[in-house]
Amino acid sequence: MDFLKSAVASAIAKGSSFPYALGDRLDNEESIWTLHSATKRDDGSACSIFTFDLQKDKSRLPLARNALRKLRTFRHPGIIKVLDTLETETNIYIVAEKLAPLSWHIKRKSISEETAKWGLYMVASTVKFINEDATSVHGNIKSSSIYTSESGEWKIGGFEALSSMKDDDAVIYNYGSLVPGSGHSQPPEVMNGGWAAIKRNPIAAVDSFGLGILVFEVFSGSFRGTDQLSQTKTIPSTMVPSYRRLINSNPKIRLSAGHFVEQGTKVGGFFETPLIRLTTDVDNLGLKSETERDHFLSELDAVSNDVPEDFFKMKVLPELLKSVEFGGGGPKVFAAVLKIGSKLSDDEYEMKLVPVIIRLFNNPDRAMRVCLLDNLPLMIHRLSQKDVSNKIFPCMVTGFTDVAPIVREQTVKAVLTIVGKLTDRVINGELLRYLAKTANDEQPGIRTNTTICLGKIAKNLGASSRSKVLVAAFTRSLRDPFVHARNAALMAMSATIDFFNEDDCAYKILPSLCPCLVDKERIVRDQANKTLDLYLARVRKHGASLADTALPAADNVNTANSTSTRMGNSGDTSWAGWAISSFTNKMTTARGEMQPPVDGPTSIAPNESRSASLPASGRTIPATLPSSGKAVAVVTEQVATFTDSALLDGQQPDDAFEAWGDLGEEDDSFFDAPTSRKRSPEPRNNTKYDDEGEPDFAGWLAAQSQAKSKKPLPKGLTKVANTRPSNVDRPTSTHTIGPGVGAKKLLNTTSKPKVTVPVKKIDTKPQETESTDDGWGDDWD
């Protein structure tokens, strides 16, 4: 090995170019050549190099040079492919495609019967070409002269003795016996009469016998001599008759390689196998009709386990790719491509399939696009993020807006597959914009799948906009008329609950879930209850962790006092408690019994509770808000005037309602202040508000009694005006009731004639008026 490398180095030093790097030596029995694995320096591609040492084996130099010359001139798929040759003073180099000796597989018995028939078919076809088309004799057909290529095909080498029968001074005549191993593999006629005997027999006779030896060796696993050839138990029964004719001792009736192939390819013949038909048809795949192509693909699936993987990768795959791109193979052929591609290494996949896949995504054919999207899960792990984001996705987005619903739907589904290979900028920008369109698609299935898609890619969305996007999409889907779209939105909400904060759950999601609880479809209602329970449990858990109040300690105490003061009672916490209690507290402050007037003008000193409830003239009472204790309005009330004599004599007036009647005359309404009587200046009617920001009802009542503009009461509450007799004189002495109990009495000593006031009946029946209740509660606004 070191000597070989030094020889190559010396050859390069002398100026000859040798752009290959030698590798390990491979076992190559019964050959004048030493086989090495090698790589090309330019691109690192693998190859094999046959080397012959001129100094070590000078006697076989004519065989080596004959092989070099014949390999340069012979071109056939069954012959090893020569890439380069080089001859120096010490060595001859033949650079060929990457090869492996067939003897390796034979010794390990790793060749299946199907593969063995396929290999023998290729060898027999090549021998037929050499014998019939090239009119030559190989003279060295045996396992040591057969090699397997990267594609698993069997190819013939060992051209050391190959000679044309048209050449009178052929190498085989003079040097055929120098071929290694020829002694125990020669046909009987050569053993008896030498290599010159081939001139007297058919050209194919010698190679037919060698082909028979190869058949025996392939199926039995070894070959030691011609006496073993009669043992046929390991050879397939269908091939035995033809095999026996190959090894016939009479060369004139010996079966040629051509006839061997012909018999094997007959109907029911031993070469009539799916694998052989596949290899025969693959070269013409682009020219086949659709029916023939479908038949080819069906056979391809049938032999997928028997055909060598290398053959699929190196031979079938390139032809299938050509058919897909240029031969109209379509989705069916592409499915077969992906199946074979799964057996490729990452580097092989990157080199052979990725460029084709990218080009196919640019193909406008809808059937091909759907096929690509359907099979995207099989190839996404082999595609780089750069290729997906920059080359595939820009072509893929056309499917979101395609007129065919099937293309739009498959594009949405494919998002789940490629989202892991997209950049954040693409996901949160262009992808979301297209999903927003499909969320409003006219097809309900596409809308539903969009919702499912958003739920599954939620973890890939940007944290800043994720909750906003998901809430908008899911809540809109909850209103979708398609039942499965609503159900999908509910399930997506359940699956993405961790992506929402508690405020989103409480303010946005829970309100949108409630209508689904009464959905017309049971599956929606059931799912809505499950989803609602999840969100309620989370919100309740969060609420339990919050503080009792967010107010400072001082404000919290004031608020508690204010609340307890304004309520009708300490236990009243209802929403209407404040308004009712304020009104009732104001009215119930009038305690005791009203004293009827005695005969004659008499001034009565009412107690504090009664004076607080009656409109007395000249008495100013600050109206206080029960809840806060602050004065909110000052109301000037009229003074109730009675005759002093009646008060002094202790007599009762004839009519107990005379005083109320007087009020009716003087004050047109209990809620309306009179405008005819001169009264003390009164403050503006300012509506006050309590600490909670609500109107003071009690203060409003007091202020309303002094309003200048009269507003009609609701029907049934209008007071009836009393008519006072014109001949009744007012008493000249008046009694002004001051605020509080013990108010001073002002008595006039001048007495007036006693006036009899007729009894006056008050009609309590509601009067029909034209007034409406439009003005009721204006101060609440």
Side-chain angles (χ1 to χ4, degrees):
M1 180 64 188
D2 294 337
F3 174 79
L4 176 63
K5 291 183 177 180
S6 63
V8 174
S10 63
I12 297 174
K14 292 181 180 179
S16 59
S17 60
F18 194 79
Y20 300 96
L22 291 176
D24 297 332
R25 177 178 177 177
L26 304 179
D27 187 14
N28 189 27
E29 297 178 355
E30 297 184 353
S31 176
I32 67 173
W33 300 93
T34 303
L35 180 62
H36 293 268
S37 61
T39 55
K40 191 175 182 179
R41 298 182 186 275
D42 294 344
D43 54 9
S45 58
C47 60
S48 296
I49 296 180
F50 294 91
T51 62
F52 178 78
D53 190 350
L54 298 177
Q55 304 296 330
K56 186 178 179 180
D57 202 358
K58 291 184 179 180
S59 60
R60 293 175 176 170
L61 179 59
L63 295 175
R65 287 180 174 171
N66 181 67
L68 177 64
R69 183 172 62 255
K70 296 297 182 179
L71 286 173
R72 284 176 176 174
T73 56
F74 273 69
R75 289 290 183 267
H76 189 273
I79 297 174
I80 59 176
K81 182 179 180 181
V82 176
L83 304 178
D84 199 358
T85 59
L86 177 64
E87 183 176 355
T88 66
E89 296 178 357
T90 57
N91 292 278
I92 296 175
Y93 303 100
I94 300 176
V95 182
E97 59 183 317
K98 186 177 181 180
L99 301 169
L102 179 64
S103 57
W104 287 10
H105 304 286
I106 293 176
K107 290 179 180 179
R108 292 195 299 263
K109 296 183 179 181
S110 59
I111 304 175
S112 65
E113 182 178 328
E114 187 78 12
T115 304
K117 290 181 179 180
W118 172 57
L120 291 173
Y121 170 79
M122 288 186 287
V123 172
S125 300
T126 306
V127 172
K128 174 186 175 182
F129 165 78
I130 295 173
N131 294 155
E132 297 181 5
D133 297 339
T135 319
S136 302
V137 175
H138 186 280
N140 192 27
I141 299 296
K142 55 186 178 182
S143 62
S144 59
S145 300
I146 310 300
Y147 300 89
T148 59
S149 66
E150 283 187 298
S151 61
E153 296 173 282
W154 293 12
K155 298 194 174 186
I156 297 178
F159 277 24
E160 295 83 11
L162 190 144
S163 303
S164 174
M165 293 298 97
K166 298 178 180 180
D167 188 0
D168 295 334
D169 191 18
V171 174
I172 195 171
Y173 299 144
N174 302 318
Y175 299 97
S177 58
L178 296 178
V179 175
S182 62
H184 65 278
S185 60
Q186 293 177 350
E189 65 273 14
V190 174
M191 294 181 64
N192 297 327
W195 288 101
I198 61 177
K199 296 180 180 180
R200 302 185 295 270
N201 296 305
I203 296 177
V206 174
D207 291 336
S208 295
F209 191 85
L211 182 59
I213 295 175
L214 180 64
V215 171
F216 177 85
E217 192 172 3
V218 167
F219 287 109
S220 63
S222 63
F223 173 73
R224 295 184 298 272
T226 57
D227 55 341
Q228 293 180 295
L229 297 178
S230 60
Q231 302 174 7
T232 61
K233 59 181 180 179
T234 59
I235 300 175
S237 58
T238 56
M239 190 182 292
V240 170
S242 299
Y243 162 73
R244 287 176 174 170
R245 293 186 61 185
L246 286 175
I247 60 171
N248 195 296
S249 58
N250 186 355
K252 296 187 180 297
I253 62 175
R254 194 175 294 161
L255 189 67
S256 67
H259 287 94
F260 181 72
V261 172
E262 183 179 350
Q263 291 184 2
T265 55
K266 290 180 179 180
V267 177
F270 49 84
F271 284 153
E272 190 69 15
T273 64
L275 180 54
I276 294 176
R277 288 195 300 267
L278 174 68
T279 56
T280 304
D281 296 339
V282 69
D283 293 332
N284 301 321
L285 183 61
L287 303 177
K288 292 183 179 296
S289 64
E290 184 175 357
T291 304
E292 293 173 337
R293 189 163 50 239
D294 293 343
H295 180 69
F296 169 80
L297 295 176
S298 63
E299 288 189 340
L300 184 63
D301 292 335
V303 300
S304 59
N305 296 327
D306 297 326
V307 178
E309 293 184 2
D310 293 336
F311 176 73
F312 272 118
K313 293 188 294 185
M314 304 300 298
K315 188 68 175 179
V316 179
L317 183 60
E319 297 298 328
L320 292 178
L321 291 176
K322 292 178 183 177
S323 177
V324 170
E325 283 197 87
F326 313 111
K332 293 183 179 180
V333 177
F334 184 75
V337 167
L338 293 180
K339 186 174 181 180
I340 299 173
S342 62
K343 302 176 182 179
L344 298 176
S345 65
D346 291 340
D347 293 338
E348 292 173 335
Y349 200 97
E350 178 73 21
M351 180 177 62
K352 297 180 179 180
L353 281 188
V354 171
V356 178
I357 291 172
I358 294 174
R359 289 195 297 268
L360 289 177
F361 265 103
N362 286 278
N363 192 331
D365 183 64
R366 288 192 176 93
M368 179 55 65
R369 174 62 62 86
V370 172
C371 179
L372 287 169
L373 297 175
D374 285 341
N375 292 281
L376 199 56
L378 300 177
M379 52 187 175
I380 189 63
H381 62 285
R382 300 290 191 97
L383 301 174
S384 65
Q385 183 178 17
K386 182 179 179 181
D387 288 336
V388 174
S389 294
N390 299 337
K391 298 179 181 179
I392 293 179
F393 184 75
C395 302
M396 178 178 162
V397 295
T398 58
F400 288 110
T401 56
D402 195 85
V403 295
I406 183 63
V407 177
R408 299 198 303 271
E409 183 174 6
Q410 292 303 120
T411 305
V412 172
K413 291 180 180 179
V415 171
L416 300 178
T417 304
I418 68 167
V419 68
K421 293 293 183 75
L422 297 177
T423 62
D424 293 339
R425 179 183 60 82
V426 174
I427 294 174
N428 296 285
E430 193 172 4
L431 177 59
L432 287 182
R433 286 197 298 270
Y434 281 108
L435 289 179
K437 295 180 180 179
T438 57
N440 293 319
D441 197 274
E442 61 181 6
Q443 297 293 326
I446 297 177
R447 298 196 302 268
T448 303
N449 286 329
T450 301
T451 302
I452 296 173
C453 177
L454 284 172
K456 291 188 175 182
I457 69 171
K459 62 180 180 296
N460 301 100
L461 301 179
S464 60
S465 60
R466 176 166 50 205
S467 60
K468 180 179 179 181
V469 171
L470 295 181
V471 169
F474 294 160
T475 54
R476 178 170 52 189
S477 295
L478 291 178
R479 302 188 298 271
D480 197 293
F482 188 51
V483 57
H484 297 291
R486 301 195 298 275
N487 194 44
L490 292 170
M491 290 190 291
M493 284 183 168
S494 299
T496 57
I497 186 172
D498 295 334
F499 297 118
F500 303 110
N501 56 40
E502 286 75 11
D503 289 342
D504 290 336
C505 296
Y507 290 103
K508 299 178 181 179
I509 296 179
L510 283 175
S512 65
L513 289 175
C514 292
C516 296
L517 298 175
V518 292
D519 195 274
K520 295 181 180 180
E521 301 295 334
R522 181 174 180 178
I523 60 172
V524 177
R525 295 194 301 270
D526 292 344
Q527 186 60 43
N529 279 283
K530 295 177 183 179
T531 305
L532 188 68
D533 290 342
L534 291 176
Y535 279 89
L536 281 177
R538 180 176 178 183
V539 172
R540 285 170 178 168
K541 182 178 179 181
H542 176 69
S545 65
L546 297 177
D548 294 341
T549 180
L551 297 176
D555 293 344
N556 189 18
V557 173
N558 294 336
T559 303
N561 294 336
S562 174
T563 303
S564 62
T565 302
R566 72 174 184 172
M567 295 301 173
N569 54 69
S570 60
D572 189 0
T573 58
S574 63
W575 69 273
W578 176 82
I580 304 262
S581 62
S582 298
F583 181 78
T584 55
N585 288 340
K586 181 69 177 179
M587 294 306 177
T588 56
T589 54
R591 297 189 181 91
E593 298 180 357
M594 293 181 63
Q595 299 296 328
V598 297
D599 295 339
T602 304
S603 298
I604 300 176
N607 57 28
E608 181 181 1
S609 62
R610 190 177 76 179
S611 63
S613 62
L614 296 177
S617 300
R619 185 172 180 274
T620 303
I621 300 176
T624 61
L625 182 64
S627 61
S628 62
K630 299 179 182 179
V632 297
V634 179
V635 181
T636 303
E637 300 179 357
Q638 299 179 8
V639 179
T641 306
F642 305 96
T643 58
D644 293 340
S645 59
L647 179 62
L648 295 174
D649 295 343
Q651 298 177 355
Q652 299 289 341
D654 294 338
D655 189 2
F657 297 98
E658 179 63 23
W660 188 260
D662 292 342
L663 289 174
E665 181 182 2
E666 300 295 337
D667 310 321
D668 185 58
S669 173
F670 175 75
F671 295 97
D672 297 326
T675 57
S676 61
R677 181 182 295 274
K678 182 178 180 181
R679 56 195 176 188
S680 59
E682 60 186 24
R684 296 177 62 186
N685 182 17
N686 297 325
T687 302
K688 301 296 183 178
Y689 299 86
D690 63 2
D691 293 339
E692 296 297 326
E694 299 178 350
D696 183 4
F697 188 67
W700 174 80
L701 286 176
Q704 188 71 8
S705 66
Q706 298 296 330
K708 292 183 178 181
S709 59
K710 181 178 179 180
K711 295 182 179 179
L713 294 173
K715 294 180 180 180
L717 295 182
T718 305
K719 294 179 61 177
V720 179
N722 294 330
T723 304
R724 186 168 183 166
S726 60
N727 58 349
V728 177
D729 295 331
R730 278 190 172 277
T732 58
S733 67
T734 61
H735 178 209
T736 303
I737 301 176
V741 179
K744 294 182 180 181
K745 301 179 180 179
L746 301 178
L747 302 178
N748 191 348
T749 57
T750 303
S751 60
K752 295 292 182 178
K754 182 178 180 180
V755 179
T756 302
V757 180
V759 177
K760 190 176 186 180
K761 295 183 180 181
I762 300 176
D763 187 5
T764 60
K765 182 179 179 181
Q767 300 295 320
E768 296 293 337
T769 63
E770 297 179 356
S771 62
T772 62
D773 56 353
D774 294 340
W776 184 257
D778 286 346
D779 282 346
W780 290 91
D781 297 335

